[in-house]
Amino acid sequence: MHPMRTPSIYSQDDPISAALKPPPEETDAERIARQHAESEAKRVSEQIDEDLREERERMKKRKGDVKLLLLGQAESGKSTLQKQFQLMYRPHSIEQERSSWRTVIYFNVVRSLKQILTVLEAWDDSLDDLDQPPVDDTQSVAARKAKANGIADQPSPSTSLLNGSVIQSSPGSVAQSVATSSGSHPAVAKDGPAQIAHLRRRLAALVAMDAQLADRLSGGITVSGSGKGGVYVRSGWQSRTIDKLKGKQAANGKQSLPRESYSSDILTTDPLVLEVARHLQTSEDEIHDLWNHSTVKGMISKRRLKLDEWSEFFLQNISRVAAHDYLPTTDDILHARIQTMGVAEHTFDVNIHGKMVTWHLFDVGGARGQRHTWVPYFDDANAIIFVAPVSAFDQYLEEDPRTNRIDDSLQLFTQICSNALLKSVHLVLFLNKTDLLRAKLERGLKVRKYITSFGERSNEYETVIQYFRAHFLQVHRRNNENRRVLYTHFTSVVDTKATQRIIGNVRDSIFRGYLQSAALV
């Protein structure tokens, strides 16, 4: 008796072969369609295999890359720090996008003028009722304050994370003067309100362009929780601005410039930029007059008008910004303010002891409504730079006018230090905007007025900065199971020379701590 033979895979009895056999009644058209489908399926399968192979190669190549996160609240200086990395490791890219920052700076100027005029209008263009509101008009004055500054009249106290201290404002402190002068008002011209009304009319056309500039930069995007009208842009807006204008040039039959040849001429085809530039040139004297008006100066000194540092920077340099041939300087770009929506990745090749290593720097949105986007980036992060603006002790969140910004930074830093995914991540703390802190203290601003736990300590810079540093160090100690070292730097990230020296120190400390095992140093 012959043993039973196992069917060959080519055997007529093989069920798979039988299933794959074309039907006997198959027509020529059906055969062609079947063969085409089989060919397409094979192509897709081979493409998948190729994609997987390339992904494995990328993963192998990126194994030695550094993933660095920039974290901190909105307006802490993260994006300015990113620009410093860009200046240090990809300076040519700043040159390529220099012209695109002109739109942002124009927007910063127009938005600042609009804020000044709004605050003046809320106070009837006068300093008369700044010290004490009339007894029967308290609520209406409080309403004007809220309208003018977008913040609560008397923010609720918020509990600090350390020592049970309370960071709060004394009653009315957000709206009342903290100046240490005798309380006398600056001299106001008899026709002060009339002059402001005249300037408002002359600047109306320029201020009205705020919405057009905002829409141009944001692409019509609105983001909840963005404070008082914050404008958000998508990552890569600079390149898209240039590419869009190059496309217009091509459509008009003009020869496009190579990317390396971008100059101040690249934006001259943008009608909006041209129109704003024209208004700035013709309104330069009015902007000077408004910025130097005694009522405006009095409201700033009495803290009825609170401008961001970038607002003051550009208004003080309005003659240069309003020039017909204006091209943003690097310092202008560092001071320009625009919020990026979501998480923007920036890639740099960094030379470490003769070996080029790729850094992936992630600049994240810091507003409360944006912080949920951080978590997916925690998993494989190598290092974090946490940026805390120590000059903000007298400021409150745009998103929550009851919360002091120093307190918010401490709470956010606690969340970072205690996150299980970040227990072994190299951590660097930038106590930023030290130049602004020093300036506020020199003007007589009292820390204890806003942070009651500061008590009767000296209001000198060194005492204040060490007080804030101690609070952040204590947060780290309480959430440091792995005995991680916290590297702390006092910074002003608009100072290029000092910041790039610190970046060099950060680079070296990251590689010493995390990349020796990979034999990269």
Side-chain angles (χ1 to χ4, degrees):
M1 185 174 67
H2 296 287
M4 181 177 294
R5 188 175 62 181
T6 303
S8 164
I9 59 172
Y10 303 105
S11 168
Q12 300 269 345
D13 299 329
D14 179 15
I16 296 178
S17 298
L20 293 177
K21 285 180 63 176
E25 67 277 8
E26 182 181 50
T27 65
D28 287 344
E30 289 172 338
R31 177 179 55 79
I32 292 172
R34 175 179 56 79
Q35 290 174 342
H36 177 75
E38 290 173 352
S39 176
E40 179 64 15
K42 181 180 180 183
R43 186 194 67 78
V44 170
S45 177
E46 289 175 347
Q47 183 61 51
I48 292 174
D49 290 341
E50 177 65 16
D51 290 345
L52 290 173
R53 185 191 66 77
E54 290 180 357
E55 180 63 22
R56 284 193 296 270
E57 288 296 321
R58 281 195 296 269
M59 293 295 291
K60 182 179 179 181
K61 183 179 178 182
R62 289 184 60 166
K63 191 174 182 181
D65 289 4
V66 171
K67 183 175 178 181
L68 174 62
L69 308 184
L70 298 184
L71 304 181
Q73 64 185 205
E75 300 185 33
S76 58
K78 300 186 302 299
S79 294
T80 306
L81 179 58
Q82 174 268 311
K83 294 173 198 172
Q84 292 286 14
F85 271 91
Q86 193 175 352
L87 279 170
M88 192 166 181
Y89 295 117
R90 291 185 62 196
H92 65 282
S93 64
I94 287 285
E95 293 304 320
Q96 291 172 3
E97 59 187 48
R98 185 177 297 278
S99 294
S100 64
W101 284 97
R102 189 176 172 191
T103 310
V104 178
I105 291 164
Y106 284 172
F107 172 70
N108 287 169
V109 171
V110 172
R111 178 59 62 94
S112 300
L113 294 173
K114 182 178 180 180
Q115 182 188 356
I116 291 172
L117 292 171
T118 299
V119 173
L120 287 170
E121 184 180 17
W123 288 95
D124 299 325
D125 297 343
S126 172
L127 291 168
D128 291 345
D129 58 355
L130 284 184
D131 282 335
Q132 287 292 338
V135 175
D136 59 350
D137 195 31
T138 303
Q139 290 189 348
S140 64
V141 172
R144 290 206 301 270
K145 295 171 186 174
K147 175 184 176 184
N149 293 298
I151 57 179
D153 179 33
Q154 296 184 21
S156 302
S158 53
T159 305
S160 172
L161 301 173
L162 299 175
N163 303 324
S165 60
V166 175
I167 297 179
Q168 64 178 20
S169 165
S170 57
S173 62
V174 172
Q176 291 179 347
S177 167
V178 295
T180 57
S181 64
S182 61
S184 59
H185 293 307
V188 180
K190 185 177 180 181
D191 61 342
Q195 185 185 9
I196 290 174
H198 170 71
L199 294 173
R200 181 179 285 109
R201 288 192 298 271
R202 293 296 302 270
L203 293 170
L206 176 61
V207 172
M209 305 191 76
D210 170 77
Q212 296 178 63
L213 287 166
D215 189 66
R216 168 64 58 82
L217 290 169
S218 69
I221 299 169
T222 56
V223 180
S224 61
S226 60
K228 49 184 180 185
V231 172
Y232 286 82
V233 297
R234 290 190 179 97
S235 174
W237 64 270
Q238 301 97 323
S239 297
R240 284 194 297 275
T241 299
I242 295 296
D243 292 340
K244 182 177 179 181
L245 292 172
K246 287 178 69 182
K248 286 184 177 180
Q249 287 182 339
N252 293 331
K254 297 181 181 179
Q255 184 176 2
S256 295
L257 292 170
R259 185 169 290 273
E260 294 78 12
S261 302
Y262 292 156
S263 69
S264 59
D265 296 331
I266 193 66
L267 288 183
T268 58
T269 57
D270 187 335
L272 178 60
V273 170
L274 286 174
E275 187 176 1
V276 176
R278 181 175 61 82
H279 279 294
L280 282 171
Q281 291 169 39
T282 58
S283 303
E284 181 186 341
D285 289 341
E286 285 78 10
I287 296 172
H288 270 296
D289 290 344
L290 180 66
W291 177 239
N292 292 298
H293 198 283
S294 56
T295 300
V296 173
K297 296 302 182 185
M299 285 191 169
I300 291 174
S301 69
K302 295 294 182 182
R303 296 183 59 77
R304 294 301 185 270
L305 175 58
K306 291 176 278 294
L307 296 174
D308 297 296
E309 56 268 20
W310 49 264
S311 296
E312 298 193 18
F313 177 83
F314 290 119
L315 290 175
Q316 288 167 356
N317 289 276
I318 194 62
S319 295
R320 184 169 53 78
V321 173
H324 74 279
D325 57 350
Y326 172 64
L327 182 67
T329 66
T330 298
D331 206 26
D332 292 341
I333 294 172
L334 290 174
H335 281 87
R337 171 65 180 157
I338 193 166
Q339 294 174 280
T340 302
M341 183 173 65
V343 179
E345 179 181 3
H346 305 269
T347 304
F348 307 102
D349 290 325
V350 181
N351 189 320
I352 304 295
H353 302 292
K355 181 177 180 64
M356 297 303 294
V357 179
T358 300
W359 283 39
H360 303 268
L361 186 150
F362 295 87
D363 179 15
V364 304
R368 281 189 173 180
Q370 296 279 297
R371 294 175 188 175
H372 65 279
T373 62
W374 300 5
V375 178
Y377 295 84
F378 287 175
D379 191 31
D380 57 346
N382 298 106
I384 288 173
I385 296 179
F386 187 91
V387 186
V390 289
S391 65
F393 66 86
D394 63 328
Q395 296 173 273
Y396 297 80
L397 291 183
E398 297 281 359
E399 314 93 293
D400 181 6
R402 300 166 300 176
T403 302
N404 184 285
R405 287 188 59 191
I406 292 285
D407 194 35
D408 180 67
S409 274
L410 283 166
Q411 293 179 31
L412 193 52
F413 191 60
T414 301
Q415 294 171 21
I416 298 302
C417 292
S418 61
N419 191 292
L421 295 174
L422 304 175
K423 289 295 186 183
S424 300
V425 171
H426 189 86
L427 188 57
V428 181
L429 173 65
F430 276 24
L431 296 177
N432 193 35
K433 302 193 178 183
T434 54
D435 56 330
L436 301 179
L437 172 65
R438 191 186 296 273
K440 285 184 177 182
L441 299 177
E442 289 175 353
R443 289 202 306 266
L445 210 59
K446 301 297 184 183
V447 175
R448 66 173 179 268
K449 189 176 184 70
Y450 299 91
I451 304 179
T452 56
S453 63
F454 189 75
E456 297 302 317
R457 293 175 176 84
S458 167
N459 209 61
E460 299 298 320
Y461 170 81
E462 194 62 33
T463 302
V464 173
I465 195 70
Q466 292 300 335
Y467 172 81
F468 290 141
R469 179 176 180 268
H471 273 62
F472 281 94
L473 290 179
Q474 188 168 342
V475 166
H476 183 253
R477 281 195 298 271
R478 290 180 174 179
N479 299 276
N480 189 22
E481 298 172 2
N482 292 1
R483 303 177 68 83
R484 168 178 55 192
V485 175
L486 175 65
Y487 297 84
T488 306
H489 298 275
F490 300 131
T491 61
S492 170
V493 293
V494 294
D495 183 336
T496 297
K497 186 175 181 180
T499 301
Q500 294 196 354
R501 183 174 63 251
I502 293 171
I503 288 175
N505 292 336
V506 169
R507 173 200 63 200
D508 293 342
S509 67
I510 288 174
F511 275 87
R512 279 198 304 270
Y514 282 84
L515 301 181
Q516 280 183 331
S517 60
L520 292 176
V521 295

